[in-house]
Amino acid sequence: MKKLGAALAAVGLMAVALTGCSAGGAGGGGGDKVITVGFAQTGSESGWRAANTQSMKEAFSSKNGFKLIFNAADNKPENQIAAVHSFINQGVDAIVIAAVVTTGWDDVLKEAKDANIPVILEDRTIDADPSLYASWIGDDFKKEGETAGSWAAKTVGSTPTNMVVLEGTTGSAPAIDRAKGFSSSIGGTSITTLDSQTGNFTRADGKTVMEGFLQKYGKKINLLFAQNDDMGLGALDAIKSAGLTPGQDIKIVTIDGTKDGLTALSNGEFNYVVECNPLLGEQVASVVKDVIDGKKVEKAYTAKDLAFDQAAAKEALPTRKY
Ligand code: GZL
């Protein structure tokens, strides 16, 4: 993460303050005052999301001085807005949001501001007045798309290549920005997009949409860009059922870097995986504590992401945390 040194030091600071806090302290989470945090999570759509939720629950634990009120919105934006309204009515100390979509946030965030409840964004960005939230912690989705696109340009860009795309949740920051990044990297290559549809970041929908692509285009498809591992993993079933060999007849590039994604890469079913680090909990908790304590925080903390080919996947898997 940018400012990682400072952030880790802050986390270290937080850990000391919260674990060694028997003497108590003024306000914030540094003493025995518990910080009550409402967390509006998207839902449980993917392996990435499960890892992110676990990371957040571990960081916002009672032993770390927090009381976490967790809401999973089943990927429904209206559920998230309702959850944030509820957090405001409960008078929480801070609100953390992983926004399903980028739009529709101004009104409820203005209510949080009027109630003097700080809002911190984790994972996904939103299109709202930046004065309505204290900070964002997450990954650079545009860069992830650029990295995936650069691999495609380098690997198949010089020969006529027909691509299909499994897009993430429509209107979500990762879907929007990964698409932007990918297309910026394949400009001027021989890669043609045959079709692009949302698979909602889920395996089930990734499989269904890929079945449709195969019925429509069959062996014309040379490349699949899946905007997350799970949709790519769902597509594997469809590709095999069509009698084709994933990783060979259809090359596959995905984003997330989950264990299952790297396993598919290590066995040759995927060809390239770009990481999107979901283990954001410690950083988010550190920023929340600093905001509660009235300390200055950065407007953005960006996680560092790797990218994997087959050899790198084989090397990383034995110690992969998620
Ligand atoms: C990315 C995250 C996306 C993942 C998907 O930070 O928002 O949502 O790529 C997840 O796996 O569902």
Side-chain angles (χ1 to χ4, degrees):
M1 303 235 174
K2 272 185 197 147
K3 305 280 175 206
L4 185 59
L8 283 180
V11 170
L13 192 66
M14 180 189 76
V16 169
L18 292 174
T19 47
C21 61
S22 53
D32 44 16
K33 179 189 179 303
V34 172
I35 302 175
T36 300
V37 173
F39 175 35
Q41 179 60 293
T42 58
S44 52
E45 72 278 4
S46 63
W48 190 98
R49 189 61 56 196
N52 179 248
T53 292
Q54 185 181 343
S55 170
M56 290 290 287
K57 286 183 174 177
E58 283 171 2
F60 286 90
S61 63
S62 51
K63 74 172 170 48
N64 287 342
F66 293 98
K67 176 180 179 237
L68 184 69
I69 305 173
F70 176 79
N71 177 279
D74 192 22
N75 275 311
K76 294 186 175 71
E78 61 274 20
N79 290 359
Q80 272 201 321
I81 301 292
V84 175
H85 275 300
S86 167
F87 296 151
I88 294 168
N89 295 336
Q90 293 176 66
V92 298
D93 297 311
I95 293 170
V96 177
I97 302 171
V100 174
V101 295
T102 58
T103 54
W105 287 102
D106 284 278
D107 291 348
V108 74
L109 294 189
K110 280 190 188 102
E111 274 183 47
K113 188 168 187 172
D114 293 347
N116 260 327
I117 300 175
V119 172
I120 291 88
L121 305 178
E122 78 100 18
D123 177 20
R124 299 189 182 169
T125 52
I126 62 175
D127 295 337
D129 176 350
S131 71
L132 294 174
Y133 56 87
S135 187
W136 163 82
I137 299 96
D139 298 76
D140 185 338
F141 303 134
K142 190 163 179 291
K143 187 161 180 291
E144 292 163 0
E146 286 165 357
T147 305
S150 298
W151 171 85
K154 190 170 76 246
T155 312
V156 297
S158 53
T159 52
T161 298
N162 294 316
M163 173 175 74
V164 290
V165 180
L166 291 170
E167 301 166 2
T169 303
T170 303
S172 68
I176 293 164
D177 291 344
R178 286 171 182 170
K180 273 186 199 155
F182 193 96
S183 61
S184 70
S185 292
I186 63 167
T189 70
S190 314
I191 298 172
T192 306
T193 303
L194 288 181
D195 213 327
S196 184
Q197 279 177 42
T198 184
N200 297 304
F201 283 134
T202 67
R203 292 194 190 201
D205 290 2
K207 179 181 178 185
T208 304
V209 174
M210 191 66 198
E211 283 166 349
F213 287 157
L214 288 160
Q215 274 155 20
K216 196 167 176 189
Y217 306 105
K219 291 190 168 56
K220 268 183 73 182
I221 301 170
N222 313 115
L223 173 67
L224 165 63
F225 168 36
Q227 289 186 353
N228 83 328
D229 293 353
D230 285 58
M231 294 187 291
L233 293 163
L236 291 181
D237 295 342
I239 292 168
K240 291 173 192 170
S241 304
L244 298 172
T245 306
Q248 294 176 36
D249 298 324
I250 298 179
K251 296 216 179 306
I252 301 176
V253 54
T254 71
I255 298 175
D256 271 353
T258 59
K259 266 189 199 142
D260 289 350
L262 294 188
T263 301
L265 176 55
S266 69
N267 65 30
E269 294 183 317
F270 285 175
N271 300 91
Y272 198 69
V273 176
V274 178
E275 184 180 54
C276 176
N277 187 341
L279 307 181
L280 304 171
E282 271 191 28
Q283 178 77 71
V284 180
S286 169
V287 170
V288 167
K289 191 188 171 306
D290 283 350
V291 169
I292 294 287
D293 289 348
K295 291 179 186 157
K296 184 182 176 332
V297 295
E298 301 293 334
K299 201 68 186 172
Y301 296 82
T302 308
K304 187 181 174 318
D305 289 327
L306 303 171
F308 298 87
D309 59 15
Q310 187 176 42
K314 285 180 176 171
E315 192 180 332
L317 269 169
T319 57
R320 194 76 179 151
K321 286 193 192 136
Y322 69 95

